[in-house]
Amino acid sequence: MIFVQVAVNGLLLGAVYALFSSGLTLIWGMTDVINFAHGEFVMLAMYVTFFSYTLLGIGPPGFIIIATIALFLFGIAVYFSLIKHVLRGPMLAQIISTFGLALFLRSAALWAFSANFVSLPNNLVGGTLHIGSINIGVAHLLAGLTSLLVTFAMHFLLTRTTLGSRMLAVAEDATAAALMGIRPDPVQALTWGLGAAATGLAGALIALFFYVSPEVGNSYTLLAFVTVCLGGFGSVPGALLGGLAIGLIQTYTAYFIGATDKNITVLALFVLLLWIRPQGLFGRR
Amino acid sequence: MTSSWRLAIIVFWTAIIVVPIAFGGAFVQRIAALTVLAAIAASAWNIVGGYAGQISFGHAMYYGIGAYSALLCYTKLGWPPIAGVPVGMLLSVCLSLLIGFPTFRLSGHYFSMGTIALATLLGLLFGNWGFVGASTGVMGPAAPRTVFDLVFRSAWPYYIIFLAVLAVVLLSTYALQERRMGFYLRALGASDRAAASLGVKVKYYKLYALLLSGVFTALAGSLYAIMVGFVDPPSVFGIIVSVNMVVMAALGGAGTLFGPVVGAVILVPVGQLANAYLGGGKSGAAYVIYGIVIMVLARFSPGGLLRALSRWPAKRRRHAA
């Protein structure tokens, strides 16, 4: 039974990983920029959630919506102030620009909010469901299900809508898309906004059951990379499966080997995978 | 090279060597030594990251291995830490051979990602490994037993030693740059497919660059451990260690001989002064400035300062003619 319990926990956690990784994969696939500040976006959303609750007294689901919108706007701002200008530059400039952004956001948070861990009250989205002998935290369940829904919505957006086709066209060849009457700038800005919004939503959901600190983004950046690599770059369904796999690996390692080793197994598997199958499990080159 | 360029280089080097002597306070000497150390590491990164264009974000793995080798030689065998330098270099060669062939199948972003994961993994493993002190780390000798322990109160002797090592690294890079190998590497950096189609043995030369770069980075790590006398996983395997090398090289100009040195001369004092006057690394203020500098650099000078500078007079000359 404990086996099933661990699996359920892992899948719910994995769904949240899938959500913020799909934000990363969207930005990467559509604008060909790796956002090394991705984890810091998660961290920012967690602080927005926390302060909406403590300072403005807004509870769920209000603060989740606020965090999503705030990150959407933030993503667009980052695109216009930074990304747009390095997009056609050398790859090294692209990489260090988002690294600089990550360092800036993390340190600014450290400066403004101090290194202390803070967290939302435990039972804000209260209670535990008992199904047979399996216990499921309602907050985890809510986070997992919302993540699944949004990940599917994003896949739908990319594959079944005009906007999605525009994004794909710009990703394929910005100049050709411009000749067809699609202006790349608004489309790419929107990509950054949507990617950041998905990340923001994930951050707000994680804040329901996890502590917030300026350093928290660090581990999420790496997790998102691993998830995206596992699923194959630019693939939203891949990110979903990758996220679920990582969630399972983490919870099983934590249960059977020890909580401190969970990121070691994830990283070791990741390195192994890069050697054997560099294009990811579901990716095409 | 024009004579004004040559003059500028001479002035620059004289300034680097003379300033710490002229204003020899302990603080300035320490900053000078750390600057040269950072220049060594960034120049080492530059061989594979700049010339060969394989942007590694995991060079901390070499740095960490070098650092740990030096201090473990002291704690486990009672040898002076400097005896660990060849050990660290040897281990870095093994590491390059182990990871070189598989990771070089990865290109572009994938390569950066793989190297980050490897360095983080090594850091986590060292942090859980009792033999190397786990998360508490390892201490070097507190007081010198013999002069070979290289424990000095002042940063001054370290500065001299580091300058000598930097000279060796730069001379090696220069020799590389002027030979056929240098052209191969730059061809690789521009496009490894094009290089391969012209008959460059891509994998072989990438590995060669990684070996050389790794050996020098391990050396820098050993020197860091000898000077500071203490290592733990975050201080040598942390991602910021790798990022520092990349950013310094990129700021000055990745793939140019003196680019990494220029980057180190600008960034290390900025970081140290910000740390000293804005209240330590804990408050984060220093890294806020660091982050802004990096973003501004990427935005306005994507090819590095040296390239921007060398293009500027050329443009003016063309206008005059």
Side-chain angles (χ1 to χ4, degrees):
Chain A
M1 217 58 233
I2 189 72
F3 213 71
V4 181
Q5 172 78 58
V6 174
V8 168
N9 290 350
L11 287 174
L12 291 177
L13 190 64
V16 182
Y17 291 167
L19 180 58
F20 69 72
S21 307
S22 61
L24 181 74
T25 207
L26 184 71
I27 286 173
W28 189 339
M30 299 298 135
T31 59
D32 202 29
V33 173
I34 302 190
N35 183 15
F36 281 99
H38 195 73
E40 275 63 36
F41 283 26
V42 178
M43 179 266 295
L44 218 56
M46 291 169 89
Y47 271 111
V48 170
T49 314
F50 177 74
F51 285 118
S52 303
Y53 181 75
T54 50
L55 297 183
L56 305 175
I58 300 168
F63 61 29
I64 297 178
I65 296 167
I66 290 181
T68 312
I69 294 173
L71 264 285
F72 176 77
L73 297 175
F74 184 69
I76 290 181
V78 166
Y79 176 78
F80 279 116
S81 57
L82 183 67
I83 303 303
K84 184 184 161 186
H85 306 283
V86 297
L87 208 53
R88 275 152 205 94
M91 193 177 89
L92 186 58
Q94 290 177 10
I95 294 183
I96 66 167
S97 67
T98 56
F99 244 118
L101 181 64
L103 202 57
F104 170 73
L105 290 176
R106 192 187 313 158
S107 324
L110 193 61
W111 196 31
F113 311 137
S114 91
N116 294 340
F117 291 11
V118 291
S119 61
L120 291 168
N122 237 339
N123 49 1
L124 203 56
V125 179
T128 313
L129 288 179
H130 305 279
I131 303 170
S133 56
I134 298 169
N135 304 317
I136 303 174
V138 174
H140 289 77
L141 188 67
L142 179 77
L145 291 181
T146 315
S147 301
L148 278 182
L149 269 177
V150 175
T151 311
F152 279 121
M154 195 180 285
H155 185 56
F156 180 80
L157 170 80
L158 285 180
T159 52
R160 300 274 185 281
T161 64
T162 327
L163 181 62
S165 307
R166 277 164 194 256
M167 286 178 171
L168 286 171
V170 172
E172 194 72 35
D173 187 335
T175 320
L179 291 173
M180 301 295 139
I182 304 167
R183 283 169 58 208
D185 257 352
V187 174
Q188 284 179 324
L190 198 60
T191 306
W192 270 79
L194 287 176
T199 315
L201 177 58
L205 291 170
I206 295 173
L208 291 178
F209 54 82
F210 205 72
Y211 68 84
V212 192
S213 89
E215 296 290 332
V216 83
N218 238 344
S219 55
Y220 288 123
T221 306
L222 213 59
L223 271 178
F225 286 158
V226 178
T227 308
V228 168
C229 282
L230 205 61
F233 298 95
S235 152
V236 172
L240 178 61
L241 289 172
L244 294 178
I246 305 273
L248 284 176
I249 294 169
Q250 274 201 343
T251 42
Y252 275 113
T253 315
Y255 182 73
F256 286 108
I257 305 176
T260 51
D261 297 323
K262 66 181 183 188
N263 282 335
I264 295 185
T265 32
V266 170
L267 280 174
L269 281 173
F270 172 58
V271 170
L272 210 66
L273 184 87
L274 276 180
W275 286 356
I276 303 163
R277 222 183 131 69
Q279 67 272 44
L281 286 181
F282 310 98
R284 286 161 299 163
R285 280 262 237 207
Chain B
M1 200 180 281
T2 59
S3 59
S4 66
W5 254 112
R6 208 164 286 164
L7 187 71
I9 289 174
I10 292 170
V11 169
F12 176 73
W13 282 108
T14 320
I16 289 188
I17 295 169
V18 167
V19 165
I21 301 175
F23 308 95
F27 183 60
V28 175
Q29 282 177 0
R30 193 179 155 75
I31 291 183
L34 289 175
T35 303
V36 179
L37 182 64
I40 296 172
S43 301
W45 178 90
N46 192 31
I47 296 173
V48 73
Y51 286 98
Q54 307 300 309
I55 299 167
S56 155
F57 265 96
H59 258 50
M61 58 187 155
Y62 297 115
Y63 199 81
I65 279 181
Y68 268 97
S69 300
L71 293 194
L72 284 176
C73 265
Y74 167 72
T75 53
K76 301 292 173 191
L77 303 170
W79 295 351
I82 197 159
V85 169
V87 179
M89 288 175 156
L90 197 70
L91 287 175
S92 85
V93 168
C94 298
L95 189 64
S96 295
L97 290 174
L98 197 70
I99 67 164
F101 277 115
T103 49
F104 279 146
R105 280 173 52 202
L106 312 170
S107 57
H109 296 323
Y110 291 74
F111 180 74
S112 307
M113 205 76 66
T115 46
I116 291 179
L118 270 170
T120 314
L121 184 61
L122 266 181
L124 283 173
L125 288 175
F126 271 66
N128 282 302
W129 188 13
F131 179 76
V132 298
S135 53
T136 14
V138 193
M139 294 282 277
R145 298 165 301 177
T146 64
V147 72
F148 293 110
D149 275 348
L150 297 182
V151 176
F152 308 109
R153 256 211 212 136
S154 130
W156 179 236
Y158 295 113
Y159 175 65
I160 301 293
I161 297 170
F162 294 174
L163 267 183
V165 174
L166 178 63
V168 172
V169 174
L170 288 179
L171 280 174
S172 314
T173 314
Y174 180 73
L176 193 81
Q177 174 186 306
E178 297 301 307
R179 294 219 162 92
R180 180 176 295 183
M181 166 100 185
F183 291 95
Y184 283 168
L185 289 186
R186 269 168 281 173
L188 276 179
S191 157
D192 52 358
R193 269 192 204 158
S197 71
L198 292 172
V200 177
K201 290 184 186 131
V202 169
K203 269 193 181 171
Y204 174 80
Y205 282 103
K206 276 185 184 173
L207 186 65
Y208 195 91
L210 187 68
L211 283 172
L212 204 60
S213 175
V215 163
F216 284 139
T217 312
L219 173 60
S222 301
L223 294 177
Y224 166 83
I226 290 169
M227 176 174 166
V228 175
F230 167 72
V231 293
D232 63 349
S235 67
V236 291
F237 281 116
I239 189 157
I240 192 76
V241 178
S242 308
V243 173
N244 274 336
M245 295 179 218
V246 182
V247 168
M248 279 165 201
L251 173 62
T256 62
L257 184 58
F258 292 119
V261 183
V262 172
V265 168
I266 296 172
L267 283 182
V268 175
V270 168
Q272 292 288 323
L273 289 174
N275 252 337
Y277 292 108
L278 297 175
K282 291 272 186 299
S283 76
Y287 281 119
V288 172
I289 293 175
Y290 203 61
I292 293 174
V293 169
I294 295 172
M295 284 190 284
V296 168
L297 151 78
R299 163 88 167 74
F300 293 102
S301 166
L305 288 176
L306 279 190
R307 283 207 184 85
L309 280 177
S310 68
R311 223 174 289 136
W312 183 58
K315 242 185 235 163
R316 293 214 341 188
R317 238 176 295 146
R318 218 179 300 133
H319 281 294

